[in-house]
Amino acid sequence: MTACAIEGGSAGAAATADPEAETGVEPDPEAGPVGSGAPGEPAGAAGSGPSGPPAFAPALLLAGPAANAGTGAEPGARPEAGTEAEAHPDEGRGAGTETGPGPMAAHAHGPAPSTDGAPLTGGFTLTADGAYAARLTAATGPPGARAWYPERWTLDGPEPYAVPLPLDQPEEPDSEVAPLADGRVLIRRRVADRQMFSLLYPTGPGTGELLLGAVGRTEMTLLPPSPDGRSVYALAAGEDHASLWLVAGGAFGPEEVARIPGRCSGGVWLDRAGRMLALDRREPGGGPVKAIAVDLGRRGEVTPLLQIAPGSNDRLVLADPDSGLLLLRSDAPGHDRLGWGVLGSCLPVRFPECLRLADATMTPFAVQPDQMLMPESCAVALRIDGARGSWVGVWRPAGRQLHQFAAPLGWMPGAGNWSRDGVLRLPYANGATPCGVALLEAPEDVAPVSAAGRTGAGKGGGEPSAADTAPAVCKPVPLGQAPLHGAARPD
């Protein structure tokens, strides 16, 4: 399975920038397949994007608060079971440095400080279908008084709600959680030099725990939940090889399913069956990072996935199994850039100029599903991080625009999923809403407007600016009063 780049390219522009032609990088004919992605996107000097969130609020339909938050009752029908600056190859993150696991769809990591009364969170992970989510959270208070505990969100019902899953003692803040499609939550705990795995689930007023077993590794990282809804894998990275473990969904507890030569990171699913997994690997002897495909149906057989140039670092950020769209990152253009390609294509990767913002980092986190054979029409959600916080970008490969929106207060940065109809769901929690989902309808791309004010797609045409229109703002309303359609949206 190979991904090759796509030639030419539709230029894209940031909401406040003029469009420029996309950069296309031809694959090396002897290097094999093409494509790749990596975490974050460096701020480019070409596009003049904002260094903070846009000064306007998006047209959002807010759902929440949860009526059953904080209870053990399960009202659903589901049964409960047991700035990046420009980085040149020789600067910052070049061929001699290694990053951690790449950004993954609906897999937001890292404790986030609370400034609005919201609980502190140590990560937020969605199931592949977006029905459940899980996070490690703690009430605000003195550092020594924080009690970390898992929390599960139910998102596929008429109203989102959260269920706390505390046990007799608090969790460590470096623990990881991942939801399963049956509503249970996997937790990884580090105990001395071992990793312990358990499944948690509500049991009336308490929390049930099913011990799965332990792995004798000092460091492991959970990968995004498998698309099959039952399995969770963990990656144990070493200097010479990486071990891939099935830690939930197996018959006999955690089991090693693949051992891969080299140092691996990342983790992106390439199919709906949970068989093909993409990892970013550096060979044992050193050299650039290249994305590879691991076939779990063939005992971890490895094949090259992304190779743009022999010496370039080519990482996969995100993949959509339906359309074959790949979001990737590579320094083949001379510095790290976000690009896109199509799985199985033999055309060069495109690096849109609109995906470069000055003084901001961009990370794709969700792709619109069910766009069969239409990768260019898929809406892509991006997390944009600047000096003044995080906000949301929406972009399509076929369009020439990056639409930017303010995030809902308390958004779990980098977490969210699309509906097949192009509605982006952004989970958030704040002092007023312990469990909420903001809905953002993907705006339509419009034709560039020339300096003379006429519509056109020529080279001299300018992109519409966010300052050109006054976007309508929807105030947060309770779910029962919220309209189902017609949410205003800025272009």
Side-chain angles (χ1 to χ4, degrees):
M1 178 179 297
T2 61
C4 301
I6 298 179
E7 181 172 8
S10 54
T16 57
D18 291 333
E20 299 182 25
E22 283 188 355
T23 301
V25 177
E26 294 282 351
D28 181 78
E30 298 182 357
V34 182
S36 162
E41 165 59 5
S48 59
S51 59
F56 59 88
L60 293 174
L61 176 63
L62 303 179
N68 299 305
T71 70
E74 184 69 26
R78 292 172 176 265
E80 292 296 348
T83 263
E84 212 176 76
E86 290 191 3
H88 294 271
D90 56 345
E91 297 176 0
R93 193 183 55 164
T97 58
E98 174 73 19
T99 62
M104 307 170 226
H107 202 69
H109 288 285
S114 175
T115 58
D116 57 5
L120 296 173
T121 179
F124 192 92
T125 305
L126 285 160
T127 54
D129 61 1
Y132 288 110
R135 67 171 180 167
L136 199 66
T137 187
T140 57
R146 292 173 183 164
W148 294 88
Y149 61 91
E151 183 178 71
R152 194 205 64 197
W153 289 30
T154 300
L155 303 173
D156 63 343
E159 187 171 337
Y161 64 94
V163 177
L165 298 172
L167 293 171
D168 295 335
Q169 63 182 33
E171 306 292 345
E172 295 296 327
D174 62 348
S175 300
E176 289 184 296
V177 292
L180 301 182
D182 61 7
R184 294 181 295 177
V185 173
L186 174 77
I187 184 168
R188 177 200 61 79
R189 305 180 179 100
R190 179 176 176 177
V191 180
D193 58 351
R194 296 182 299 163
Q195 306 293 324
M196 304 288 295
F197 298 91
S198 297
L199 289 174
L200 307 178
Y201 52 93
T203 56
T207 300
E209 180 176 16
L210 175 63
L211 299 177
L212 297 178
V215 177
R217 296 295 182 113
T218 56
E219 297 292 340
M220 293 186 79
T221 302
L222 292 184
L223 300 182
S226 171
D228 66 10
R230 305 183 305 272
S231 307
V232 180
Y233 292 82
L235 185 66
E239 292 299 329
D240 298 326
H241 72 274
S243 296
L244 188 63
W245 289 76
L246 175 63
V247 296
F252 306 103
E255 57 178 307
E256 186 178 27
V257 295
R259 183 165 293 192
I260 305 160
R263 184 170 180 83
C264 295
S265 60
V268 177
W269 292 103
L270 300 174
D271 64 345
R272 293 292 182 195
R275 172 174 171 171
M276 300 302 299
L277 175 69
L279 296 173
D280 302 325
R281 179 180 71 168
R282 190 188 303 278
E283 294 282 358
V289 177
K290 301 290 184 181
I292 59 173
V294 181
D295 189 343
L296 300 179
R298 288 187 159 185
R299 298 184 179 181
E301 180 181 277
V302 172
T303 56
L305 179 64
L306 302 172
Q307 297 188 50
I308 298 179
S312 61
N313 292 293
D314 305 324
R315 298 174 170 92
L316 187 65
V317 181
L318 207 57
D320 175 52
D322 299 330
S323 65
L325 178 65
L326 302 180
L327 279 300
L328 50 97
R329 184 171 180 173
S330 174
D331 56 13
H335 49 270
D336 282 338
R337 292 282 300 273
L338 279 178
W340 69 279
V342 179
L343 192 66
S345 172
C346 292
L347 298 173
V349 169
R350 295 176 183 176
F351 295 93
E353 289 295 333
C354 70
L355 298 185
R356 303 174 69 198
L357 294 182
D359 304 323
T361 298
M362 301 180 65
T363 307
F365 65 87
V367 179
Q368 182 182 358
D370 293 338
Q371 305 299 298
M372 298 297 182
L373 304 178
M374 297 189 297
E376 295 189 3
S377 66
C378 292
V380 178
L382 303 101
R383 168 182 173 175
I384 307 176
D385 296 301
R388 290 179 290 175
S390 300
W391 61 101
V392 181
V394 176
W395 164 82
R396 290 183 183 88
R400 293 175 173 265
Q401 290 178 288
L402 171 66
H403 305 273
Q404 301 181 54
F405 303 93
L409 181 64
W411 176 47
M412 311 297 174
N417 70 305
W418 288 98
S419 72
R420 62 181 303 172
D421 299 323
V423 177
L424 180 61
R425 297 164 52 86
L426 300 171
Y428 70 95
N430 54 47
T433 306
C435 176
V437 176
L439 306 181
L440 172 61
E441 189 174 351
E444 296 294 334
D445 293 313
V446 297
V449 179
S450 67
R454 290 173 296 184
T455 299
K459 254 187 176 180
E463 294 291 332
S465 168
D468 294 339
T469 58
V473 177
C474 293
K475 294 182 179 180
V477 295
L479 180 65
Q481 303 174 18
L484 296 179
H485 301 286
R489 65 188 184 201
D491 285 330

